[in-house]
Structures are given as C-alpha cells and as structure tokens.
Amino acid sequence: MTATIPGPVGTTAAAPEAPRRPSLSPSRAADFKSCPLLYRFRTIDRLPERRSRAAVRGTLVHTVLERLYDLPPAERTVAAARDLVGPAWAELRAEPGVGELFAEGGDPSDGPPGETVETWLNSAGRLVETYFRLEDPRRIQPEGREQLVEVTLSDGLLLRGYVDRLDVARNGALRVVDYKTGAIPREAFESKALFQMKFYALVLWRTRGVVASQLKLIYLGDGDALTYAPEEAELLRFERTLQAIWAAIERAVSTQDFRPSPSRLCGWCDHQSLCPSFGGTPPPFPAEAAAAAGWATLPLVERD
C-alpha cells in the first residue's frame, strides 16, 4: 500500500508556509555515504546531538578568522586576531549546550584531563596564531566569507553549502579556502578530505561558469595545507556521483529504509542506543518531519 506525505494546504496569508525544498550539502552527502541511518537521524528526525569542546573550538576559530577580515588589511595581525578570541567566545558560550561543556559533572573524556576554560581558550588562540604561518591576511581581500553557494542541477537536485572563504583574482580566477582545526590527513584519506571542496567547486562552476583554480584546505592543527586544482571533466564525474547519492537518498525515503553502516566512526556517534548494530531500535519513521523537510512529493511505502 502506498501513502503520500500530505503537503501544505491553503494559499492564504494565514496558511502554513510550504515545506522547504530538500537539498544536499557536503556534510549530509558525507553522512549518507558513511551511514544512511545517521543521515536519517540528522536530516529527517533531526535528533539532538551533544556539542563537544573540539567542535565548539572549531566554530570559535572559524569565527575569529572570519572577523579578522573585517579589519583593514594593515591591522590583520596576530595580536589583533588573539584579541578577537575573547569576544567571539563570549557570544558562543551563550548558545545552548556550550556553557555546560566545562561545568562540573561534564563528560571527562571530552578533552584533555583537567582542561579548564582558560587552557581551552589558549589552545584556540594557538590555532589562530598558526594561521599566520600559512597565509598573510594583509595580502588577501576575500570576495566572500561563510558564503552560501547553491545551484539547482538539470535534474532538479538542489546543492547548498557554505564556503569558509572565497578569493577572486583580478583575472577572475577562483580560490576556495576551508579552515580545519585538525591535522592534515594521510595521503590515503586525501580524496575524502577533498570531497567537500569538490562540492563547492562544482556549485561555483555551475553558477559562475569558472572552474576554481585552487581548492585549499588549511590545517591549523599541524600548520600544513592541502591544495588541489580540479578539472572540468572531473567535476562532471563528481556531479554524477552526487546525483547517484541523491537517488539513493530518495529511494531510502520512499521505502523508509535507512540502514546502518557500522565503522570506526560509530564510537563518535550519539545515536548508538537507537541503532540496530548496537541492539537498538530506531523510532518510527517521522512522516511529518519528512514533509517538513520538503519530502512531500515522494510516495512513502508503508512497511509492516
């Protein structure tokens, strides 16, 4: 038996807004590739997840590097960047779940033993300082920071993502830059690291007609960088890869069948208690949440 998720009703001003359109981002594509059930939990069920000190530190460092470029070029110094850490942290710690990271009774495994707010902030400051060994921000004038890029492909697939930094040369050449607070990956894992950057390069190519001259991943954990120059034929192949991922997601939604894919990453997952691979049972498929996520037009097969 086939049932359809109900769509929005009515067109008057008082009617509910139409559901947003489903889209694919680099992180959600990576989720589905690594574990379809994780994709469902994050994208459709939208289950809450714990915030970690490492992840929040990454957000803090990204915020500082973004705001660094608000300053006039001559003022983009190490000292000025360090001065941005405190105000950025003051804003960040007011967000839900952040203030509790250093509270008594917190997860003792979330960070080095005995780590305090002060030592944690110092570690963030050192990552910011490392950035200056890799680039001279006084010589860079980005076109965009934390910039939304999106495109609808010919088959209707909407791709969306946020670029940490986009540089445009006088001759129109594009450089896509992403900041990472970890260490540069081993050669065997470079392709996985570049997946996100190729995603951005594809969107920019489809929207601007220009293949990025350089994709640059800056690793602040060890002060190294990974650069790559994509080619048009490669982006075409990557586009087909994303379309195949999306087709698999559509099949999973239509059958309500998102299967787990156990791996070493399971140790970092917040949803083990709901995962069949760990003896758990996923909650019933949330048809209303799926509709709210924009899946209203897909037929859903009722499962026994």
Side-chain angles (χ1 to χ4, degrees):
M1 179 178 178
T2 300
T4 303
I5 298 179
V9 294
T11 56
T12 65
E17 291 185 1
R20 66 179 180 277
R21 183 178 171 196
S23 63
L24 190 64
S25 69
S27 56
R28 296 294 80 84
D31 283 346
F32 191 84
K33 284 180 62 181
S34 64
C35 178
L37 185 58
L38 177 62
Y39 173 91
R40 181 200 139 172
F41 286 160
R42 284 180 168 169
T43 307
I44 299 178
D45 296 75
R46 294 184 172 270
L47 298 181
E49 296 183 342
R50 295 170 298 173
R51 303 191 72 168
S52 70
R53 295 180 190 179
V56 172
R57 179 169 51 208
T59 300
L60 176 60
V61 171
H62 276 73
T63 300
V64 169
L65 294 180
E66 178 186 0
R67 294 178 179 177
L68 177 66
Y69 283 96
D70 287 333
L71 301 175
E75 297 179 19
R76 297 170 191 165
T77 63
V78 173
R82 286 297 300 250
D83 287 342
L84 293 171
V85 173
W89 168 238
E91 296 174 17
L92 189 57
R93 69 185 175 190
E95 295 183 5
V98 175
E100 294 78 19
L101 288 174
F102 295 94
E104 284 190 35
D107 185 354
S109 66
D110 187 14
E115 184 178 47
T116 64
V117 175
E118 289 73 22
T119 57
W120 181 84
L121 283 174
N122 284 333
S123 69
R126 288 193 297 271
L127 292 172
V128 171
E129 290 181 4
T130 299
Y131 170 69
F132 286 81
R133 302 206 314 258
L134 300 168
E135 290 187 320
D136 183 352
R138 296 170 299 179
R139 302 171 61 87
I140 299 170
Q141 193 55 49
E143 178 182 284
R145 291 162 289 147
E146 287 297 317
Q147 179 171 321
L148 172 66
V149 294
E150 58 182 351
V151 69
T152 301
L153 301 181
S154 59
D155 64 349
L157 170 57
L158 173 61
L159 303 178
R160 305 179 79 246
Y162 285 87
V163 175
D164 282 352
R165 200 181 83 216
L166 180 63
D167 302 334
V168 181
R170 291 181 180 178
N171 63 359
L174 302 180
R175 177 171 63 185
V176 185
V177 180
D178 195 76
Y179 307 120
K180 302 294 184 185
T181 52
I184 193 168
R186 297 192 300 272
E187 186 175 350
F189 297 97
E190 283 185 2
S191 61
K192 184 175 181 180
L194 286 169
F195 181 91
Q196 173 188 15
M197 304 303 281
K198 290 180 183 179
F199 187 105
Y200 298 145
L202 172 62
V203 175
L204 291 167
W205 175 47
R206 286 304 191 192
T207 54
R208 300 187 180 217
V210 177
V211 175
S213 300
Q214 186 182 82
L215 309 178
K216 186 174 185 180
L217 285 157
I218 294 178
Y219 290 91
L220 303 172
D222 56 1
D224 208 340
L226 173 62
T227 59
Y228 187 78
E231 297 180 353
E232 184 173 311
E234 180 181 14
L235 294 182
L236 277 172
R237 292 193 297 271
F238 188 75
E239 181 177 73
R240 290 194 291 270
T241 296
L242 294 180
Q243 290 170 326
I245 292 172
W246 189 248
I249 292 173
E250 288 183 324
R251 286 194 298 272
V253 172
S254 68
T255 60
Q256 303 179 15
D257 187 8
F258 290 83
R259 301 188 181 185
S261 181
S263 71
R264 292 180 300 174
L265 298 176
C266 291
W268 301 91
C269 184
D270 285 339
H271 311 300
Q272 288 187 11
S273 63
L274 300 174
C275 179
S277 296
F278 294 87
T281 301
F285 187 82
E288 291 185 3
W295 294 104
T297 58
L298 282 182
L300 293 181
V301 179
E302 291 185 352
R303 303 177 67 196
D304 294 336

